[in-house]
Amino acid sequence: MTQIASTLAQQIARLVHAERLAPGDALTERSLAERFLVSRSPIRTALRELQRAGVLSPAERGGFEVADPEAAEAFAASESGSDGSEETYLAIARDRLAGAIPDRISENELLRRYGVTRPRLQALLRRMSEEGWAERLPGHGWRFLPVLTSMETYRQSYSFRQAIEPAAILEPGFILDRPVLERHLEQQRHLVAGGILEISAVRLFEINSEMHEAIAECSRNAFFIESLRRVDRLRRLIEYQQKVDRELARARCIEHVRILELLFDGKNADAAEEMRKHLRALGPLKAP
């Protein structure tokens, strides 16, 4: 496989595990290509690799479906392994937040600074690009995009979210996306039941921000949706540097479960108020 297809295979395996997809759940080239911002060709190669690994199987109507969720977890673990990728990723995030990395930098400089192989660095840079805090320049250069770098702007992001997220729930065009939110509810219940003790800080941020964005997407209001996505991209690096208090994080997940249950009961006004309380409490905890 090409390096990008190999990276995609790992990301798809992580997706199957993180979203707790069940045997028979379909995965389409189109949706995965849109999610990971790539063409269908490397997605197709990655799906075939996951088929060989026993993670996926051909679907009756074409495409692929989940065959073995446990194999997905094993594949993701074996691919990430102990090669130091996550440590390098967090080191780059930490240095960027501290201003130790300039806005524009070459791959060669990053290679010298972090001592990883070029394919591994390129895989990390693609991940940063997908997450919205780096972009490729012509040649071998990269540009790091603006992020929140002070606790004051970080605190302001929570004030902004208090304004838009409850309002998104109260939008007249709000339509519940049951299959998506059911998966998020199952994820949050899993975290409350003990999964919070095992998950990395990076993955916890991803799961929780994806849940908030999924709720906003039900509003069908492009301004709420894009505004929240942008805030999440900007606050990502500060979140990565914070030490996770697992008990406090579990309490926040309990609040997530409550909000989702109210939405499923059709009590949008109550869900909006719970969301406002949730975000109001989070601000002082995350940005004291």
Side-chain angles (χ1 to χ4, degrees):
M1 287 193 299
T2 64
Q3 180 64 37
I4 188 170
S6 176
T7 301
L8 286 167
Q10 180 187 354
Q11 290 174 326
I12 294 169
R14 285 165 50 193
L15 172 70
V16 171
H17 173 60
E19 298 201 356
R20 305 177 72 81
L21 300 185
D25 285 349
L27 291 171
T28 67
E29 289 180 11
R30 179 179 179 181
S31 63
L32 291 169
E34 290 175 351
R35 182 184 183 104
F36 295 115
L37 304 176
V38 296
S39 67
R40 293 193 188 187
S41 179
I43 290 289
R44 190 176 303 121
T45 303
L47 291 173
R48 288 171 180 163
E49 174 63 17
L50 291 171
Q51 179 187 356
R52 287 191 289 272
V55 176
L56 306 178
S57 60
E60 289 184 4
R61 298 183 179 180
F64 291 89
E65 61 185 28
V66 176
D68 186 348
E70 292 185 2
E73 181 180 7
F75 186 94
S78 66
E79 288 294 302
S80 57
S82 56
D83 60 16
S85 292
E86 196 70 9
E87 290 80 2
T88 303
Y89 174 85
L90 290 174
I92 295 173
R94 181 172 56 251
D95 290 346
R96 173 59 183 159
L97 192 62
I101 299 177
D103 290 346
R104 294 175 180 239
I105 193 168
S106 68
E107 285 186 11
N108 288 337
E109 177 59 29
L110 290 169
L111 288 170
R112 286 192 293 271
R113 183 187 289 263
Y114 296 103
V116 294
T117 65
R118 189 176 295 277
R120 184 61 59 187
L121 175 65
Q122 290 173 339
L124 290 172
L125 288 167
R126 280 194 297 273
R127 175 179 171 186
M128 296 169 197
S129 178
E130 291 167 6
E131 292 174 350
W133 57 283
E135 67 179 9
R136 182 185 291 277
L137 296 171
H140 293 284
W142 286 80
R143 180 165 75 99
F144 288 97
L145 303 175
V147 296
L148 300 184
T149 56
S150 75
M151 294 308 290
E152 178 57 32
T153 53
Y154 183 56
R155 187 179 301 110
Q156 290 170 1
S157 76
Y158 276 95
S159 297
F160 180 67
R161 291 177 63 197
Q162 284 180 53
I164 66 169
E165 291 193 55
I169 293 174
L170 297 175
E171 269 289 279
F174 189 96
I175 300 175
L176 203 67
D177 189 337
R178 283 188 170 271
V180 170
L181 293 188
E182 281 170 357
R183 287 200 298 271
H184 283 291
L185 179 56
E186 186 177 357
Q187 277 186 330
Q188 293 296 322
R189 285 173 172 166
H190 171 72
L191 291 172
V192 170
I196 196 73
L197 300 176
E198 305 167 357
I199 196 168
S200 71
V202 171
R203 186 60 194 142
L204 181 61
F205 170 81
E206 290 174 346
I207 287 176
N208 287 341
S209 61
E210 286 169 4
M211 187 216 75
H212 279 269
E213 289 176 17
I215 293 174
E217 286 168 6
C218 294
S219 72
R220 306 297 196 270
N221 184 315
F223 292 95
F224 286 140
I225 296 167
E226 185 54 36
S227 295
L228 181 56
R229 286 176 180 165
R230 180 168 176 77
V231 168
D232 283 343
R233 287 196 297 269
L234 291 173
R235 68 187 180 91
R236 180 182 293 272
L237 298 194
I238 287 184
E239 290 275 351
Y240 287 176
Q241 305 311 311
Q242 293 190 328
K243 182 174 181 175
V244 178
D245 184 317
R246 302 288 167 165
E247 281 306 310
L248 284 176
R250 181 175 178 274
R252 302 289 79 79
C253 291
I254 291 173
E255 293 169 3
H256 289 161
V257 170
R258 173 65 175 159
I259 292 166
L260 288 167
E261 288 177 341
L262 286 169
L263 289 173
F264 281 118
D265 289 340
K267 299 178 180 178
N268 287 26
D270 292 338
E273 182 58 29
E274 289 297 320
M275 179 68 80
R276 185 175 289 106
K277 292 177 183 176
H278 169 72
L279 293 170
R280 186 186 303 134
L282 266 180
L285 286 174
K286 293 291 192 73

